[in-house]
Each structure stands twice: as C-alpha cells, then as structure tokens.
Amino acid sequence: MTLKPARLQWSENGDLESLDYGDVYFQRGSAFAESDYVFLQHNNLPARFAALGGESFHIAEMGFGTGLNFLRAATLFLSTAPAGARLVFTSIEKHPITPEMLAQVYAHFSAQAPEMAALCAGILAQYPPLIEGFHTLLLAEGCIRLTLCFGEAANCLPQISGLFDAWFLDGFSPAKNPDMWHEALFPLIAARTRGGGTLASFSVAGHMRRALAALGFDVRKEKGFGIKWSMTAARK
C-alpha cells in the first residue's frame, strides 16, 4: 500500500516543520547538537562503538523523519568503531519524506556537515518507494545496514525480530502524535531490548516513564537540550 508522504516546509525562521503534526523536526540551528546530545550521548554510543570487536551493534528507532539521528549515529560509528564491526539500524516511519524533499534536506545537512555527505548520497541512491513494508539499504561498503519500516508503528514493531542494544524514541510530541507513544508498544520495545540495552528520548511523558520502569528499565530524567527542560534516559 502506498503511504501518505510527510507534508513539511521550511518556515521563515529556518525551522523544518511537519504540517501533519504541527511540530518541528528539530530545533533551529542546533539539529546536529541536539541529536548528538539526546540520542548518542545518552545511549553512551561513543564508548560503546569504540569498544566493539567484530560484532554488530543494533539500534532501533521510532520515527525516522529526516534520518538525522541515523546519519549522526552512522557518522560516529564510522569514525570510532574498529574494523570488522557492523552497525544495524532499524527505523519506523508512518509518513516518509518524498525523495525530492529529502534531497533538499540532505543538501542542507551535507553543506553543514560534509562528513555526512556520502551517507546522505547513499540513502538517496537507494531510497525506496513510499510503500508500506520493510526496505533495506546497505551503506559504507556494506558495514552499515539501514532498514526502513514504512507504516504504522503498531503494525511494524511486532514484525521486527531480534534484540537491540539501543533505542531512539523520536516520534513527534506525544500530545501531537499519540500513536507513536501508545502504551501497547512499550512491552514490544522491552521484549526486543538486550539486557543492559539503553533507550533515550527527548520526551518525559509520564505514561512512557512508568511503563518502562514496570518493564524492567532503570529510568532517569536528565537535563534536556536547549530550550527543553528535561529528557528521558533508560537502561534495561
């Protein structure tokens, strides 16, 4: 089934806005720093990537959006992980961005961070049609595997198998995108998290934090990035 693509626009002040959810994809002027702070640092990825041997590191994400979090994680992986390591990244997205708009966004990203340009080009070259289902892209000469799961989170998540070392919960605000934060999803997330696995989110929604704690996560409220007061970090 063909999915409804994301409707987005650049605002006059430089924000990338979602017209579907009345929210922004990232804070203006600090997209990279926010992604690094919330998802890379609070999943302790710099140290964990550097400590890898020849094994794979698995990350799952709720909300691919522009792919910014993947690009930041993959760039970090390529600069810190030892030879022979693999990054396996799985991301769910209900409203994928069209390839034409994604190309505009990636031109903006690549101009700001040239080290991401090759990854951006690789995604664009393999970007799938906006059809419900799972689509696998191989990047960085095969050492990075990105699986895009296009569809409703409630449909995609039960079909995802395996255990993950880290989670990025990055759907739009729970108040504006409640389906991505539905309580029924958290047991599925917990069941797919390796012991010692971690989770990070910009959100501190009470129902999310309580559900994770009840499912065996050590849940912490941490200082948020920029104008945001707080964020969530957790470890199973």
Side-chain angles (χ1 to χ4, degrees):
M1 181 179 71
T2 301
L3 295 172
K4 174 186 173 184
R7 297 185 304 127
L8 63 164
Q9 68 179 13
W10 295 101
S11 69
E12 292 183 359
N13 66 3
D15 288 334
L16 184 60
E17 300 177 335
S18 167
L19 301 180
D20 297 297
Y21 294 100
D23 205 348
V24 297
Y25 281 90
F26 36 71
Q27 295 183 41
R28 177 167 48 94
S30 57
F32 300 160
E34 181 175 16
S35 178
D36 292 353
Y37 177 80
V38 174
F39 298 106
L40 307 191
Q41 292 184 35
H42 283 87
N43 277 297
N44 195 27
L45 295 189
R48 295 169 79 185
F49 284 169
L52 285 171
E55 67 269 24
S56 298
F57 193 93
H58 295 250
I59 299 174
E61 178 181 51
M62 304 289 281
F64 184 72
T66 64
L68 176 60
N69 297 329
F70 165 75
L71 290 166
R72 298 306 294 169
T75 299
L76 175 68
F77 176 84
L78 291 173
S79 67
T80 58
R86 296 288 184 269
L87 177 62
V88 179
F89 197 104
T90 303
S91 188
I92 295 173
E93 179 56 55
K94 179 180 179 181
H95 295 303
I97 296 175
T98 64
E100 295 79 14
M101 178 58 79
L102 197 63
Q104 294 182 34
V105 174
Y106 283 2
H108 177 71
F109 285 173
S110 298
Q112 291 186 307
E115 68 275 12
M116 298 197 316
L119 289 166
C120 289
I123 293 174
L124 291 174
Q126 302 176 60
Y127 196 63
L130 308 191
I131 295 173
E132 187 174 15
F134 289 23
H135 311 275
T136 298
L137 291 67
L138 295 178
L139 303 161
E141 298 183 346
C143 72
I144 297 175
R145 186 175 79 208
L146 168 63
T147 299
L148 297 175
C149 311
F150 286 169
E152 295 274 3
N155 295 332
C156 293
L157 193 51
Q159 300 180 61
I160 295 173
S161 60
L163 295 174
F164 292 91
D165 300 288
W167 286 83
F168 298 175
L169 301 193
D170 195 30
F172 288 112
S173 164
K176 298 177 179 181
N177 185 20
D179 289 348
M180 185 66 84
W181 307 88
H182 194 280
E183 290 186 10
L185 299 179
F186 295 114
L188 298 175
I189 290 172
R192 288 157 178 77
T193 306
R194 197 181 308 280
T198 59
L199 176 151
S201 177
F202 68 87
S203 176
V204 289
H207 78 282
M208 172 190 73
R209 297 174 67 244
R210 289 188 296 270
L212 292 172
L215 291 163
F217 285 86
D218 173 24
V219 182
R220 309 183 312 280
K221 185 182 288 187
E222 302 281 1
K223 182 181 182 302
F225 179 86
I227 62 174
K228 297 178 181 177
W229 287 100
S230 53
M231 58 160 286
T232 296
R235 183 176 185 273
K236 187 178 180 184

